[in-house]
Amino acid sequence: MQVKDRSLLSLSWPLFITFGIGTLQPMMDSWFLSRTSEAAAAGVGALMPVLGAIFMAILAFSQAGASIASQFIGAQRPKQAGTTQTMVLTGSLLLGVAITLVTIPLVDQIVLWMGLTGEAAKHAADFLHIVSLGFAFRALQGTLTALIATHGLTIWNLFGNIITIISNAAMNVVFLNGYLGFPQMGVKGVAIATMLSWLLASVVLLTVLLFKVHHKIRSTDFKRSRIILPDWIRIGFPAAVEPVSFQIFQVVLTALVVHLGITAMTARIFSANFAMLAVILSVGLSSGNQILVAHLVGAHDFKKANRRLHQSLIAGSASGLIVALVVAFCGEHLLTFYTSDPEIVRLGRLCLWCDVALQPFKAANMVITSALRASGDSKFPAIVGSGMMWTCGLGTALFLAFVLDLGLVGIWLGMASDEFYRSIVNYIRWRSGKWQKYAVV
C-alpha cells in the first residue's frame, strides 16, 4: 500500500508514542536536576525556550525537505526523492555545526538575556556549554526521523527513540551518582547524557535509513541537489520562521515570568512539563497528516488532502482537550512529583487549568500549519502567524498579566489567546485553496 493510501491512525500511532518519549527526556532531566537542587532545575528549565528555538529551526528545515521528498514519492519519482534525502541530511548536519559555532561564544550572554542570576545562572551556563556541542547530532536525529516517517516507517522511529530514552536515563544515573568509576558530575553529567543520547539516536536511525529504507548516498545526488535546493530554501526558510518566532516568543514570556520571582518561574517550568502531555496526540496526528498531505499533493489529489486535514483537525483538537482535562484534574498529584512547596503546587495547578483552554486551539494550529507547509505554502503561517503572535498574542498576555494583575495565570491565558488567533487565520488560508499552487511537483 502506498503511503498516501494509508489511514491516519496507522501512520500516527507510533508518532504519538515517539513524541511522548521525546517529551519524557526534558521531564526526566528536570527530575534528575531537581534531585540536585531546585535552582539547577529552574536554571536549566529556563533555557528550554532557547533550545526549543534552535531545535525548531533545524526541525523545520528537515520537515520541509522531507515534505519535498514526500511529494516526489507521491508523484512516483524515486530518484528525485533520493536526491532530496541526501541533500537534507547533508544540509541539516552542516546547519547543526554552524549553530554550535554561533552558540558557544554566546552562552554567558544567553543566560544573562534570560534574566538568570546566582546559582541558577551558573547551572544554566554549565548545561548549555556542554549540550551545544551536540547540536549536529540533534540535527541529524531530527532529519533522520522526518525522512524515515516520509516512507511511512514511523514504527522504526519509535524503536529508535525507546533506545534513546533508556540510554539517557541510564547515563543520568551513572553520571549523577558517580557509578562505574565516573565522578559525580551534577548538571554537567545531565548535559553529557543528553548529548550522547542524541548521538546514539542518530546512529540507530541512520542504520534504519540505510538498511530498511535502502537509501543510498550517491555522488550524483550532490549535483542534482542544485535543482531542488531553491525549493528547499523557499519552503524551509519560511517554515523555520514561525516555530522559531514562537520559541522566541516563549523566551520573552519566560523572561517576564522571571520578573515574577523564582516561585512563579519554577511553577511554570514544572507545569509546562506536564502540559506537554496534552500535546502528544496532537503532534502525532499533525505529523501523520503532514506526511499524508505531502504525498497527496505530489499526486495532485487535493480533495483527499483537504479531507485528511479536516479529519486530523477534529481528532487533534478533541484529543488535546481531553488529555488537558485529565492532566488538570490530576495536577496536584503530578506536581508533587517535582516539589513539596505548596505555593509552587498551587500556581502550577492554576496553570494546568488554563492549559485546558489552550490545547484545542494549539492542536488546530499545529494541524493546519503542518498541512500548509506540506503543500509548500509556508510563507503565510510564517508572516501572518508571527505577526499576530507578536501583536495580538503578546499584547493579550501583557494585558492579562500586568494590567489585570493575573501574573503567571495571565501569561498562560495570553498563550491560549495567541493559539486561538493563529488557528483561525491559518484555517481561513486553507479554506481559500491557495495552497494548491505551491506544490514542488
Side-chain angles (χ1 to χ4, degrees):
M1 182 183 294
Q2 295 184 35
V3 174
K4 65 184 178 66
D5 297 321
R6 296 263 303 271
S7 69
L8 178 63
L9 184 59
S10 70
L11 279 174
S12 299
W13 78 260
L15 297 173
F16 301 154
I17 305 174
T18 299
F19 183 74
I21 292 171
T23 303
L24 282 176
Q25 185 163 350
M27 292 177 66
M28 185 175 64
D29 286 348
S30 292
W31 185 82
F32 278 111
L33 289 167
S34 67
R35 304 278 73 78
T36 303
S37 72
E38 287 192 354
V44 175
L47 291 176
M48 290 302 111
V50 177
L51 294 175
I54 293 171
F55 298 157
M56 288 306 296
I58 296 170
L59 185 61
F61 271 99
S62 300
Q63 290 184 338
S67 293
I68 293 173
S70 294
Q71 289 190 28
F72 281 126
I73 294 170
Q76 303 295 314
R77 295 167 66 178
K79 286 186 178 180
Q80 288 86 343
T83 297
T84 303
Q85 291 173 172
T86 299
M87 176 188 69
V88 175
L89 280 172
T90 305
S92 297
L93 188 61
L94 293 175
L95 180 60
V97 172
I99 293 175
T100 294
L101 296 177
V102 171
T103 303
I104 289 178
L106 296 175
V107 166
D108 293 332
Q109 191 63 45
I110 291 171
V111 172
L112 183 63
W113 287 338
M114 296 306 299
L116 296 171
T117 58
E119 189 179 356
K122 180 181 180 303
H123 288 310
D126 287 343
F127 184 86
L128 189 55
H129 266 121
I130 294 174
V131 85
S132 60
L133 297 174
F135 286 162
F137 306 143
R138 184 66 180 84
L140 196 57
Q141 178 191 6
T143 300
L144 287 164
T145 299
L147 293 177
I148 292 169
T150 288
H151 291 269
L153 301 176
T154 50
I155 189 70
W156 288 97
N157 286 333
L158 173 58
F159 292 149
N161 276 273
I162 289 174
I163 293 171
T164 302
I165 197 69
I166 292 174
S167 65
N168 183 263
M171 286 186 286
N172 271 324
V173 171
V174 170
F175 295 151
L176 280 175
N177 295 288
Y179 295 148
L180 303 178
F182 289 97
Q184 293 183 347
M185 290 183 278
V187 172
K188 294 181 180 179
V190 175
I192 293 172
T194 299
M195 181 180 64
L196 291 178
S197 71
W198 293 341
L199 173 60
L200 179 60
S202 299
V203 172
V204 171
L205 294 173
L206 182 60
T207 302
V208 173
L209 186 73
L210 294 177
F211 295 100
K212 186 64 180 178
V213 178
H214 303 294
H215 174 68
K216 295 181 180 179
I217 300 175
R218 300 179 174 87
S219 59
T220 54
D221 287 341
F222 298 99
K223 295 179 180 179
R224 292 184 190 141
S225 65
R226 289 180 294 180
I227 301 173
I228 306 169
L229 183 60
D231 282 317
W232 188 28
I233 295 173
R234 174 180 66 82
I235 298 172
F237 184 76
V241 168
E242 192 266 344
V244 170
S245 178
F246 175 77
Q247 292 298 330
I248 296 174
F249 180 62
Q250 294 298 307
V251 171
V252 171
L253 294 182
T254 299
L256 293 175
V257 174
V258 167
H259 289 290
L260 296 175
I262 187 68
T263 299
M265 182 173 69
T266 306
R268 181 181 187 272
I269 291 166
F270 290 162
S271 56
N273 283 337
F274 291 113
M276 287 298 293
L277 295 173
V279 186
I280 292 173
L281 295 180
S282 304
V283 169
L285 288 169
S286 65
S287 298
N289 179 68
Q290 181 172 349
I291 296 168
L292 289 170
V293 168
H295 280 262
L296 290 166
V297 167
H300 291 260
D301 192 347
F302 300 123
K303 287 185 178 180
K304 192 172 183 179
N306 182 61
R307 188 165 65 252
R308 293 291 197 183
L309 178 279
H310 284 89
Q311 290 173 349
S312 301
L313 189 59
I314 294 170
S317 295
S319 62
L321 176 62
I322 293 169
V323 177
L325 280 169
V326 173
V327 171
F329 274 117
C330 302
E332 182 174 358
H333 299 291
L334 293 173
L335 289 164
T336 54
F337 182 72
Y338 283 129
T339 181
S340 58
D341 188 318
E343 183 60 17
I344 293 177
V345 173
R346 185 188 70 83
L347 278 175
R349 284 184 64 198
L350 290 173
C351 289
L352 290 176
W353 278 109
C354 293
D355 200 59
V356 174
L358 182 150
Q359 289 303 330
F361 300 112
K362 186 176 185 67
N365 196 34
M366 284 192 296
V367 169
I368 302 167
T369 301
S370 64
L372 288 172
R373 290 177 191 151
S375 68
D377 186 11
S378 59
K379 286 186 180 179
F380 183 85
I383 297 172
V384 178
S386 297
M388 294 197 71
M389 185 188 307
W390 288 102
T391 53
C392 301
L394 181 59
T396 303
L398 290 172
F399 177 77
L400 294 174
F402 299 105
V403 177
L404 297 186
D405 202 25
L406 295 179
L408 182 59
V409 169
I411 290 176
W412 209 287
L413 290 174
M415 292 192 293
S417 67
D418 167 59
E419 297 288 354
F420 170 74
Y421 302 144
R422 289 188 290 130
S423 63
I424 294 299
V425 297
N426 284 330
Y427 183 69
I428 293 172
R429 175 67 171 189
W430 179 268
R431 291 288 294 175
S432 73
K434 293 181 179 178
W435 51 274
Q436 297 178 15
K437 65 180 182 181
Y438 289 97
V440 173
V441 181

